Amino acid sequence: MDNVQALINEIKNTGHRKVMLQLPEGLKTKSAEVAERLEGAGVSVLLRNKPSYGACDLADKEAKQMGCDLLVHVGHNKFYRDFGVAVPVLYFPWIMDVPMDDIDFSVISEKRIGLVTNIQHLHLLEDVRKKIEETGKTVIIGGQLLGCWTANAVKIENDIDAFLFVGSGVFHSLALKTDKKVYGLDLERKKIEPVDLSLLERRRWAHIYKAREAKTFGILVSTKEGQNQLIGNAEKIRQLLERKDKKAFVLVMDEIRDDMLLGIKADAFINTACPRIMDDTWTRPLVNATDVDKLFDD
């Protein structure tokens, strides 16, 4: 059964007939096709045409506003912490099958390998484990990662020599804060390559050092339910900065992007939303809430 038919079946099982469909960027090219098939199956569909950053970023309020009785959130599973939603949400992971036969796993030199992945490829980890074990290595399956949540990697870190992320791109791999070697298996190119974690760490500290010179801070708070005060309390941070003779104010935003901050008179920003926002390019220093204390290290 293909993904669209499986999705149709799940929607029908809910009993809802008017849905808003929220697709990740990688599936936007399929949006018209998916909508057409859903409509053909008797499901009324509205497409939400806006970037979807994960299960922390639900279009539930838009779905309710447009009269939908269900949000279909594709490409992710339920967020790791609970928050209220305006309409029921159906999480649909969109499983992707990839043959492993022509992938060279021998390029991994370490002996004990920890496997992590995203939700779309979670079912592939057992096949990857078998392929790696054929090369004489030991494998421990960690499981799923999110861009902001790596607990499944942390729990196995002391028992392995290297991580292998199974997926595409480096977004999830770069979330790993580890001294262990990290490899990425790019399933689109069928190739395993080392992932350099040092670039983001250097960028992080560059922002911290530059922000130490700032006199005025904007504290960024997201209106997205899953990111709202995710790792910091804005008012406590404001009070801390003011005790250090800094000026500070709170900025509430739906989409936190550099271009939306260009007119704001601040020397630096503190991010209390998704920690991976830090990975974007910023005109002025941006520091995650968890690093505020490092602004005042001696």
Side-chain angles (χ1 to χ4, degrees):
M1 183 187 302
D2 67 10
N3 276 302
V4 180
Q5 186 57 55
L7 178 58
I8 291 171
N9 294 346
E10 290 203 27
I11 292 173
K12 287 191 170 183
N13 285 339
T14 69
H16 297 292
R17 288 295 179 267
K18 184 175 182 181
V19 308
M20 177 168 284
L21 187 62
Q22 184 178 18
L23 295 168
E25 290 301 299
L27 293 175
K28 286 289 179 69
T29 58
K30 297 181 179 293
S31 58
E33 173 194 347
V34 175
E36 182 180 9
R37 289 184 60 182
L38 289 176
E39 294 278 356
V43 179
S44 178
V45 179
L46 296 179
L47 293 171
R48 197 245 198 174
N49 187 26
K50 193 176 180 181
S52 174
Y53 298 107
C56 62
D57 181 20
L58 299 179
D60 55 307
K61 292 183 177 64
E62 294 97 320
K64 183 177 181 180
Q65 183 181 17
M66 301 307 295
C68 298
D69 51 11
L70 180 72
L71 172 65
V72 179
H73 184 85
V74 176
H76 309 102
N77 56 347
K78 191 175 184 296
F79 202 49
Y80 67 91
R81 67 180 182 87
D82 289 327
F83 52 86
V85 292
V87 297
V89 181
L90 171 62
Y91 297 90
F92 188 81
W94 199 275
I95 300 301
M96 297 181 180
D97 288 316
V98 180
M100 299 288 161
D101 294 337
D102 53 351
I103 297 174
D104 181 12
F105 290 95
S106 66
V107 300
I108 302 174
S109 58
E110 288 76 12
K111 178 67 176 176
R112 301 176 301 167
I113 312 303
L115 297 183
V116 288
T117 187
N118 52 13
I119 185 62
Q120 287 89 356
H121 304 109
L122 194 59
H123 64 295
L124 297 177
L125 291 190
E126 189 59 33
D127 288 341
V128 174
R129 180 187 67 80
K130 292 176 182 177
K131 290 292 183 181
I132 295 177
E133 287 180 345
E134 289 174 2
T135 68
K137 297 178 173 60
T138 301
V139 177
I140 298 177
I141 293 179
Q144 182 187 357
L145 298 184
L146 300 180
C148 61
W149 183 80
T150 60
N152 283 331
V154 173
K155 71 183 182 182
I156 65 172
E157 185 171 9
N158 292 333
D159 301 317
I160 63 168
D161 304 313
F163 284 104
L164 174 64
F165 175 80
V166 179
S168 59
V170 297
F171 175 78
H172 291 86
S173 301
L174 292 175
L176 294 169
K177 307 300 182 185
T178 179
D179 294 329
K180 301 294 174 69
K181 184 75 170 287
V182 177
Y183 294 88
L185 166 52
D186 190 322
L187 292 172
E188 295 178 3
R189 298 189 298 131
K190 302 288 189 73
K191 190 173 183 179
I192 297 174
E193 294 177 324
V195 177
D196 183 5
L197 302 180
S198 64
L199 176 61
L200 288 184
E201 190 66 6
R202 292 196 299 271
R203 182 187 298 174
R204 168 182 168 240
W205 279 102
H207 279 265
I208 291 170
Y209 285 127
K210 290 178 182 177
R212 287 177 176 178
E213 302 173 0
K215 299 183 182 302
T216 302
F217 288 83
I219 303 169
L220 307 180
V221 175
S222 173
T223 58
K224 300 181 190 300
E225 290 289 346
Q227 296 182 16
N228 187 7
Q229 303 292 313
L230 185 62
I231 48 175
N233 182 289
E235 184 58 27
K236 289 181 179 179
I237 293 172
R238 185 185 67 80
Q239 293 173 4
L240 169 63
L241 292 170
E242 290 178 347
R243 287 198 300 270
K244 298 293 186 178
D245 297 323
K246 307 290 185 180
K247 294 180 180 180
F249 54 89
V250 177
L251 282 169
V252 179
M253 308 170 68
D254 171 54
E255 197 96 3
I256 298 178
R257 303 196 314 264
D258 185 67
D259 62 298
M260 298 184 71
L261 297 173
L262 294 180
I264 303 297
K265 293 187 179 301
D267 303 315
F269 298 97
I270 305 297
N271 170 40
T272 71
C274 173
R276 299 304 301 278
I277 289 171
M278 180 75 201
D279 298 351
D280 296 337
T281 300
W282 299 95
T283 305
R284 284 166 286 179
L286 182 137
V287 176
N288 279 335
T290 48
D291 283 331
V292 169
D293 59 328
K294 296 178 178 60
L295 297 176
F296 308 105
D297 286 351
D298 295 331

